[in-house]
């Protein structure tokens, strides 16, 4: 059994209201996150994400939404930046292909049985795709003090241009940025791991919504 260092944050607004998330930081498992109503549930979800023969050992805990681990304050390593860029490229390729395969009716498909946290409004395929680009270009990067970009009108163009903006920013931003504003803490490492996680995580829902829309 191999031990994996896990970092747990509670009281966060991610998949559920006031939930818990468990993260790993190893480059080979970069951007992996488990979520649940409490620490035990989040660690179980992380274990399922990582696979068998691994044991999650909690090495750091933080409480509160949009805080940062001490581990996030370490300057970003080249392997972390490279892993983020690779995962962003792979995820955007799949997202763009899924969106281009959809008719207008499919893009506006809404699964009425899907339960979202109170702050989320991205119910349809189209809305979820917009949520992905809004999050990367108009939330994560500006939260670190990096440039905000205005959205384009066309979703396909926005998927392409947002990806290029994020890739360029990730490749050139300083490794040791730290920004504290309105009670939140953002760092280079935090933004890299969140970028590596977010679209890949949302793709699970996007695939399911597109499959349901095809029925």
């Amino acid at each position: 059994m191999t031990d994996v260092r896990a970092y747990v944050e509670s009281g966060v607004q991610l998949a559920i209201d006031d939930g818990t998330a468990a993260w790993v930081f190893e480059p080979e498992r970069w951007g992996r996150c488990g979520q649940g109503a409490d620490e035990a549930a989040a660690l179980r979800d992380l274990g399922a994400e990582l696979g068998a023969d691994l044991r999650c050992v909690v090495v750091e805990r933080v409480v509160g939404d949009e805080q940062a681990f001490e581990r996030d304050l370490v300057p970003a390593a080249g392997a972390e930046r490279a892993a983020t860029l690779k995962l962003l490229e792979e995820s955007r390729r799949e997202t763009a292909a899924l969106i281009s395969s959809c008719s207008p009716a499919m893009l506006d498909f809404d699964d009425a049985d899907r339960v979202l946290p109170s702050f989320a409004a991205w119910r349809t395929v189209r809305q979820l795709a917009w949520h992905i680009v809004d999050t990367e270009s108009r939330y994560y990067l500006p939260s670190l003090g990096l440039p905000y970009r205005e959205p384009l009108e066309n979703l396909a163009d926005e998927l392409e241009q947002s990806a290029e903006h994020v890739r360029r920013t990730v490749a050139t931003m300083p490794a040791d940025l730290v920004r504290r504003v309105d009670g939140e803490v953002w760092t280079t490492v935090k933004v890299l791991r969140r970028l590596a996680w977010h679209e890949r995580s949302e793709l699970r829902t996007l695939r399911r919504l597109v499959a349901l829309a095809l029925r």
Side-chain angles (χ1 to χ4, degrees):
M1 183 72 70
T2 301
D3 287 348
V4 175
R5 295 165 62 89
Y7 297 74
V8 174
E9 54 180 350
S10 58
V12 297
Q13 308 294 317
L14 292 176
I16 60 176
D17 291 299
D18 194 25
T20 300
W23 298 84
V24 289
F25 282 76
E26 290 90 343
E28 64 273 18
R29 303 183 182 94
W30 189 245
R32 300 294 178 125
C33 174
Q35 296 190 59
D38 55 26
E39 181 174 307
L43 289 172
R44 285 195 300 271
D45 191 48
L46 178 61
E49 170 82 6
L50 296 178
D53 300 324
L54 295 174
R55 179 175 56 193
C56 297
V57 178
V58 179
V59 296
E60 187 178 352
R61 294 177 175 89
V62 296
V63 178
D65 196 40
E66 295 303 9
Q67 301 305 299
F69 299 107
E70 288 295 323
R71 175 62 179 78
D72 285 314
L73 298 171
V74 176
E80 294 164 354
R81 197 187 301 257
T84 301
L85 290 168
K86 179 175 183 292
L87 291 166
L88 286 171
E89 181 181 5
E90 293 172 350
S91 296
R92 184 53 46 87
R93 186 185 306 120
E94 182 175 354
T95 298
L98 279 171
I99 295 304
S100 67
S101 73
C102 291
S103 67
M106 291 169 62
L107 287 173
D108 293 322
F109 173 78
D110 177 5
D111 175 14
D113 294 328
R114 187 160 68 103
V115 177
L116 291 171
S118 62
F119 55 85
W122 37 91
R123 298 206 56 88
T124 68
V125 172
R126 189 192 309 272
Q127 289 168 346
L128 183 55
W130 274 108
H131 164 65
I132 289 170
V133 291
D134 285 338
T135 299
E136 64 189 17
S137 277
R138 289 173 282 281
Y139 179 38
Y140 288 163
L141 296 184
S143 291
L144 191 52
L146 297 167
Y148 175 103
R149 61 175 295 279
E150 295 292 340
L152 302 176
E153 291 187 5
N154 180 271
L155 176 56
D157 292 341
E158 177 65 11
L159 284 166
E160 179 181 352
Q161 292 302 310
S162 181
E164 177 57 32
H165 170 70
V166 174
R167 281 195 297 267
R168 184 170 57 250
T169 303
V170 165
T172 58
M173 67 183 184
D176 57 353
L177 292 175
V178 178
R179 185 169 187 252
R180 294 176 170 88
V181 60
D182 296 330
E184 298 182 357
V185 185
W186 292 84
T187 76
T188 299
V189 168
K190 176 180 173 177
V191 166
L192 290 179
R193 67 172 168 85
R194 291 284 286 272
L195 284 168
W197 159 78
H198 185 251
E199 185 171 3
R200 183 173 58 181
S201 175
E202 296 291 13
L203 266 167
R204 297 171 185 168
T205 302
L206 196 57
R207 291 184 202 109
R208 189 177 66 81
L209 287 174
V210 170
L212 288 172
L214 283 168
R215 292 183 180 175

